[in-house]
Amino acid sequence: MNFTVHVEGGCADGPISPVRTLVLTGELDHGSAPLLQKALEGAYADQCRHLIIDVTGLAFCDSTGISVFLGARRALAAREGNVALAGLNARVQRTFRLTGVADAFSTYSTADEARAALSAS
């Protein structure tokens, strides 16, 4: 299964949304993690403070993907920002629980819920 990252929103100062959303589909593993890392590096370069990672379409995530998520969390915490996960399905949620990082992220049913929460902060 292929892996894709679709970027929504911007983070530059001005009228652009202060929250960037990354919509993931497919399988996130050792081979596809660099695609996510590249999208995250773009968010860091644009000075994003808040990120939503919409995993509704994510069929699989291994420990490499979890590591990338944790790296994003650390990077945004350094600028007093947040990473929120939206749309965790049972399979991906189980991976987060088994690796002990389920409580490290704020989770929301949808990206819209996450956007509302992050925009208010």
Side-chain angles (χ1 to χ4, degrees):
M1 177 177 264
N2 291 331
F3 177 77
T4 62
V5 179
H6 175 74
V7 178
E8 298 176 354
C11 298
D13 290 332
I16 298 172
S17 169
V19 179
R20 179 164 293 170
T21 302
L22 304 179
V23 181
L24 311 184
T25 57
E27 296 183 355
L28 178 56
D29 57 20
H30 179 73
S32 57
L35 292 173
L36 176 56
Q37 187 62 46
K38 183 175 180 178
L40 289 167
E41 287 169 3
Y44 306 151
D46 289 346
Q47 298 300 309
C48 289
R49 256 189 75 220
H50 301 301
L51 286 175
I52 298 166
I53 302 177
D54 185 340
V55 295
T56 304
L58 198 61
F60 174 79
C61 179
D62 71 3
S63 60
T64 306
I66 298 280
S67 179
V68 174
F69 290 142
L70 289 170
R73 183 176 172 268
R74 280 189 301 274
L76 292 180
R79 36 176 96 146
E80 299 180 9
N82 295 300
V83 174
L85 301 178
L88 276 172
N89 62 49
R91 185 174 184 181
V92 174
Q93 190 173 40
R94 182 173 186 266
T95 302
F96 274 73
R97 280 195 317 269
L98 289 173
T99 56
V101 299
D103 294 333
F105 297 92
S106 298
T107 59
Y108 299 89
S109 297
T110 66
D112 287 339
E113 287 178 16
R115 191 172 299 105
L118 291 175
S119 294
S121 65

